[in-house]
Amino acid sequence: MSRSPVTVVIPAWNGWEATKSCLDALRPTLGVRDQVVVVDNGSTDATSQSLRQYPWAQVLNHPLNLGFARAANAGAAAARHDIVVFLHNDTVPMARWIEPIVAALDDGSVVAAGPVSDVALPGQEVLAAPFRSTADARRFARDHTAAHRGETTEASILDGFCLAVRRSSFEAADGFPTEYGLGSWESHDLCCRLAAAGRLVVVADSFVAHRGRTTFTANGIDRATDRERFRSAFAAAHPGAVLPPLVSACLIVKDEEPSLTSCLASLAGVADEIVVYDTGSTDGTVELARRLGAQVIEGYWDDDFSRARNDALAHCHGEWIAWLDADEELECDPAQLRTLLEDTPLEMDAWSVRIRNLTGAGTGSEFTHSASRLFRRARCEWAGRLHEQVAARVEHSAIRVADLEGSHINHTGYLDSVMAAKGKAARNLRVAQTEIDEADGWDKGYSLGSLGRSLVLAGQFQEGLDRLLEALENTDNGNTRRLAMRASVDALSAMGRYDEALEYPSRVVDEGAPPHTAAVIEAPIRLAQGHYQKALELLDTIVPGWVDLDGYGMSVPAYAAQRSQALAGLRRFGEAADALLSVLIEDGVLDAHLGSLVDYMTEAGRSLTDLAVAIPPQRVNLFLAQVLQLRPEVADTVLEACLAGPVDARTVLATASKLAIRLPVERAMVWSAVLRQAGFVAACPLIAIAGSDGPPVLRARAAATAKRAFGDDRAEELFLSSWAAASDDDRAVITLEAGQLCPELLITVAGAPATVAGNR
């Protein structure tokens, strides 16, 4: 069946090898009446000379580069046919790509059409694995076009890499605008004007492979200037028009009401849309997510993280996917990050982001790793039930990733409180076992490693070690092997098998880790052995804050904690305290138990006022919560120092009211006086002790003290209650003590001799 002839316009500026590949692929797809116009836009490489080898192409020579728009407009002016196809020189047209486009333009309501591609704007970029060769692209194009024969979809903007328009519509829109310098954004502007005159469609059974930005790369062009020029001009000329989303945020959630607000707030300025896939929340998560502007998909949970994430992915529209969990927050410069994504070389599939995993009580203990958290939607998806990985679509092969600088993610999911509340260890173990049982892991060694790490996390150290060793036998992937070895060290150390653990630091280096990784792994083992001098020597070779190729490293707080432990083991307590205090002052975190720091300071004869001064104001609540975990007498001295220091007195007193009920009555009376003087009568520790379910003698003693010291009328009823619960022996003690502290309370006790205590 005959079709209307077309004119193909190819602007070219250097990058001859790309232009040659385009022309060689184009020639077999042309009809006898089709016209090809190549506009040599001031090339200085082999382009001008080599184009002579293609006599079937009409060449327009521009001695200077006039920019893409002027070159394309010049090519359109030379067109002999009504359908003009503007084709970038870094494309590789596939078989029968023209026919479906012409068929779409046979509809009089359609003014422009474009094909699908492996590299294009959302809506035209097909969901495919990255092509490793032209042969891969041809095979994919054949299968894809056969499966989508005759399909078209509406579009608001078409990607300029291959844009077919009616010449009459093109001229009516005044062609490509020329205010964008050398080029980059003029296709967007043209499409907005074309859309006012008719429909724009994507033709699903026309496929053109696209290398992407080859000309810009070859000529060192910075797209940022043109991008800002486009945004200003576009906003003025087309108010209200919406550009395709650049970034979609993608989350799966369940009962995340406490953390969701801060998570989504961290995406402000980064994400154009937020898709939240709920796996069965029973709290207010769904309603909250909708109020915060997210699109919510009410899904289900089947112990498969990748399945849930990929279901969420199906509802995203952005070119890039930023994925977080609700217990994570992104820290970045939004404008800078979006510019980076817009300018990312098209051969790149993803960016690896550093993740700070906060652990323990949340006072600064952490470990870091990196993961692919920004990826191209059309090329990637998740694989693996647990510890899911971003992989290439279809075959789940490795993707092309670069490290992202200047941004990171804070993760609170490993805090003790969160792990306990959500039962994460048990869940991860269940999911990992299912992945092995159903053999659906994208890498058997990786799946075994996930199971092994989950077992270690759940405290099943020997079984975890067995799975980790099995993982090492089933993978050649360096990252998977290093992760398994690190987890093996954790398991062996937990079982006290330190000599075996010491075999692994050098093995990790043999697997490709930098040499100083060995010291990072070995130092904690030496500390556990009590080999403090050796540990200190190893620590002296480590650069705090350094991160290895797997994204693991030793943070400054972790380094300080290990160094202080080694110094304390050598009885250098003053230096040990200084190691922790310095990082607490400078970074506001403490990767050690607060009790250790107190012990070091006490051994060194240091005033705890130094500790009170060092506590960061923004983390006072977290630190004081840890004070309650100390021995009562130690916590008492810490709170006393804090009350005399710069820490907010109300926060200290709130903590003291909880601590004082664990102190002797005499000390509880002191804190009761301080609290009452501050206006917190209701929080009186003596009254709290008297009303507790503790020993009757203790309760009566606290009630009598409260009545004697403060005249608190609540004490009388509480004294009677303790008397009623007391044994005869207890009552004898209570009678003696109350007679000395507050004899009038004994009058209220039926049958008690009112004069006994007074006579004693």
Side-chain angles (χ1 to χ4, degrees):
M1 180 177 178
S2 63
R3 60 165 173 81
S4 300
V6 303
T7 294
V8 180
V9 176
I10 306 175
W13 176 33
N14 295 325
W16 166 246
E17 289 302 321
T19 303
K20 180 179 185 300
S21 296
C22 177
L23 292 172
D24 290 345
L26 175 65
R27 184 69 176 99
T29 71
L30 298 172
V32 294
R33 295 184 295 160
D34 293 334
Q35 175 192 17
V36 176
V37 179
V38 179
V39 184
D40 180 8
N41 210 16
S43 296
T44 57
D45 66 352
T47 298
S48 299
Q49 183 71 23
S50 300
L51 281 172
R52 297 175 184 176
Q53 304 170 22
Y54 296 82
W56 48 271
Q58 178 183 346
V59 179
L60 302 181
N61 289 299
H62 289 179
L64 297 175
N65 179 15
L66 302 179
F68 175 85
R70 289 185 172 86
N73 290 342
R80 298 195 302 264
H81 304 302
D82 185 49
I83 297 177
V84 181
V85 182
F86 298 97
L87 189 66
H88 285 191
N89 69 327
D90 57 3
T91 58
V92 180
M94 299 290 108
R96 295 194 74 259
W97 70 282
I98 295 180
E99 285 76 10
I101 288 180
V102 172
L105 287 166
D106 285 341
D107 183 335
S109 66
V110 176
V111 296
V116 295
S117 180
D118 56 322
V119 177
L121 288 174
Q124 285 181 261
E125 189 174 29
V126 295
L127 306 181
F131 300 137
R132 306 301 176 183
S133 66
T134 300
D136 285 346
R138 289 194 176 113
R139 282 191 292 270
F140 179 86
R142 182 183 62 246
D143 295 340
H144 180 84
T145 56
H148 297 276
R149 191 74 67 199
E151 293 181 16
T152 61
T153 56
E154 301 286 328
S156 57
I157 289 180
L158 292 171
D159 199 319
F161 76 95
C162 181
L163 178 65
V165 299
R166 296 181 184 279
R167 190 172 62 174
S168 55
S169 300
F170 180 77
E171 292 171 349
D174 295 326
F176 286 103
T178 59
E179 63 264 32
Y180 299 115
L182 296 178
S184 186
W185 299 95
E186 55 281 301
S187 298
H188 286 59
D189 197 308
L190 173 63
C191 285
C192 289
R193 285 181 280 115
L194 289 172
R199 297 165 56 219
L200 279 61
V201 299
V202 176
V203 182
D205 56 345
S206 172
F207 190 91
V208 174
H210 185 204
R211 297 181 180 181
R213 300 178 192 157
T214 301
T215 297
F216 288 99
T217 302
N219 292 283
I221 297 302
D222 179 5
R223 300 173 73 242
T225 301
D226 278 345
R227 176 174 54 249
E228 295 308 315
R229 184 182 293 115
F230 164 73
R231 286 172 175 165
S232 298
F234 179 85
H238 312 290
V242 178
L243 293 173
L246 174 68
V247 180
S248 296
C250 187
L251 297 83
I252 62 172
V253 300
K254 182 179 180 181
D255 295 334
E256 301 289 0
E257 191 173 6
S259 58
L260 187 61
T261 298
S262 57
C263 173
L264 298 190
S266 76
L267 293 163
V270 175
D272 301 298
E273 67 173 2
I274 297 175
V275 175
V276 171
Y277 183 93
D278 186 77
T279 61
S281 293
T282 57
D283 63 359
T285 295
V286 169
E287 294 76 12
L288 175 61
R290 288 189 172 125
R291 287 200 305 272
L292 295 173
Q295 176 190 358
V296 178
I297 311 302
E298 296 190 47
Y300 61 95
W301 178 244
D302 60 352
D303 281 352
D304 190 335
F305 279 96
S306 287
R307 195 278 312 158
R309 293 199 189 280
N310 289 332
D311 279 3
L313 182 63
H315 295 273
C316 296
H317 302 90
E319 178 181 353
W320 287 90
I321 300 298
W323 68 281
L324 298 179
D325 288 326
D327 54 11
E328 296 177 331
E329 296 177 18
L330 176 64
E331 285 196 18
C332 69
D333 180 324
Q336 188 177 69
L337 179 57
R338 287 178 64 88
T339 297
L340 174 70
L341 295 178
E342 288 176 325
D343 293 340
T344 298
L346 288 169
E347 66 270 14
M348 281 271 304
D349 300 319
W351 287 98
S352 181
V353 183
R354 185 169 66 91
I355 302 171
R356 296 176 58 238
N357 300 279
L358 307 182
T359 60
T363 54
S365 177
E366 66 178 57
F367 69 91
T368 64
H369 75 285
S370 296
S372 298
R373 291 303 194 93
L374 290 160
F375 64 84
R376 294 189 189 274
R377 178 181 61 89
R379 299 188 198 167
C380 307
E381 64 182 5
W382 283 278
R385 283 179 173 267
L386 180 65
H387 300 302
E388 63 281 17
Q389 298 287 293
V390 177
R393 287 183 180 267
V394 186
E395 75 270 27
H396 289 170
S397 59
I399 56 176
R400 295 161 292 196
V401 185
D403 293 328
L404 181 67
E405 301 292 339
S407 301
H408 67 270
I409 292 171
N410 294 323
H411 176 219
T412 59
Y414 289 134
L415 291 176
D416 294 343
S417 57
V418 178
M419 291 290 289
K422 290 184 171 289
K424 282 192 172 184
R427 180 205 63 189
N428 289 354
L429 180 58
R430 184 179 67 249
V431 174
Q433 186 62 61
T434 301
E435 182 168 298
I436 298 297
D437 293 343
E438 298 187 2
D440 60 354
W442 69 303
D443 179 306
K444 184 177 180 181
Y446 183 86
S447 297
L448 285 164
S450 294
L451 176 58
R453 296 199 303 276
S454 296
L455 286 164
V456 172
L457 184 64
Q460 300 179 41
F461 303 117
Q462 183 58 57
E463 189 175 353
L465 180 62
D466 292 342
R467 297 291 80 74
L468 291 166
L469 295 176
E470 191 177 351
L472 291 171
E473 296 174 356
N474 283 274
T475 184
D476 294 324
N477 182 280
N479 174 263
T480 301
R481 291 180 63 81
R482 291 189 295 270
L483 288 176
M485 290 179 182
R486 287 177 178 272
S488 296
V489 170
D490 294 338
L492 288 166
S493 297
M495 292 185 288
R497 293 157 59 179
Y498 301 117
D499 289 341
E500 294 175 68
L502 285 171
E503 297 174 6
Y504 283 93
S506 61
R507 291 182 60 185
V508 173
V509 173
D510 291 342
E511 290 292 339
H516 41 286
T517 299
V520 173
I521 299 174
E522 184 178 347
I525 303 173
R526 295 299 186 181
L527 286 173
Q529 288 180 305
H531 298 167
Y532 301 117
Q533 185 59 46
K534 177 61 177 177
L536 193 60
E537 292 170 0
L538 289 166
L539 289 165
D540 285 341
T541 69
I542 298 171
V543 178
W546 163 82
V547 177
D548 68 13
L549 75 168
D550 296 319
Y552 283 85
M554 184 175 289
S555 66
V556 173
Y559 178 83
Q562 292 189 23
R563 188 174 182 82
S564 70
Q565 185 180 348
L567 289 166
L570 296 171
R571 303 197 63 76
R572 293 158 61 178
F573 295 110
E575 294 174 75
D578 286 337
L580 295 178
L581 284 172
S582 62
V583 76
L584 184 57
I585 293 171
E586 294 175 12
D587 299 327
V589 295
L590 183 65
D591 197 357
H593 196 280
L594 187 60
S596 297
L597 176 53
V598 173
D599 289 343
Y600 302 159
M601 295 180 71
T602 302
E603 289 285 351
R606 298 273 291 275
S607 170
L608 292 181
T609 303
D610 291 345
L611 170 59
V613 171
I615 294 176
Q618 69 276 18
R619 292 191 174 181
V620 166
N621 289 335
L622 287 172
F623 275 87
L624 292 185
Q626 201 175 87
V627 168
L628 294 176
Q629 300 173 22
L630 303 176
R631 298 190 308 276
E633 64 276 14
V634 175
D636 187 19
T637 60
V638 172
L639 288 181
E640 188 172 35
C642 288
L643 192 62
V647 181
D648 180 71
R650 290 170 300 178
T651 306
V652 176
L653 291 175
T655 307
S657 68
K658 299 175 183 177
L659 168 69
I661 61 176
R662 298 160 50 201
L663 297 173
V665 169
E666 295 77 9
R667 188 60 187 165
M669 182 181 70
V670 174
W671 281 112
S672 295
V674 175
L675 284 159
R676 286 170 177 273
Q677 187 175 9
F680 302 117
V681 177
C684 174
L686 287 175
I687 295 297
I689 296 171
S692 70
D693 57 357
V697 171
L698 177 64
R699 292 161 52 191
R701 185 182 305 142
T705 304
K707 181 66 175 177
R708 173 69 177 270
F710 309 114
D712 197 316
D713 293 336
R714 294 174 292 177
E716 294 182 11
E717 183 177 348
L718 295 172
F719 184 82
L720 287 173
S721 176
S722 64
W723 181 271
S727 65
D728 289 342
D729 290 341
D730 288 338
R731 289 180 178 180
V733 176
I734 292 172
T735 299
L736 177 62
E737 292 187 353
Q740 295 173 335
L741 288 169
C742 190
E744 60 266 34
L745 286 177
L746 292 175
I747 300 174
T748 64
V749 179
T755 60
V756 172
N759 293 335
R760 295 186 184 184

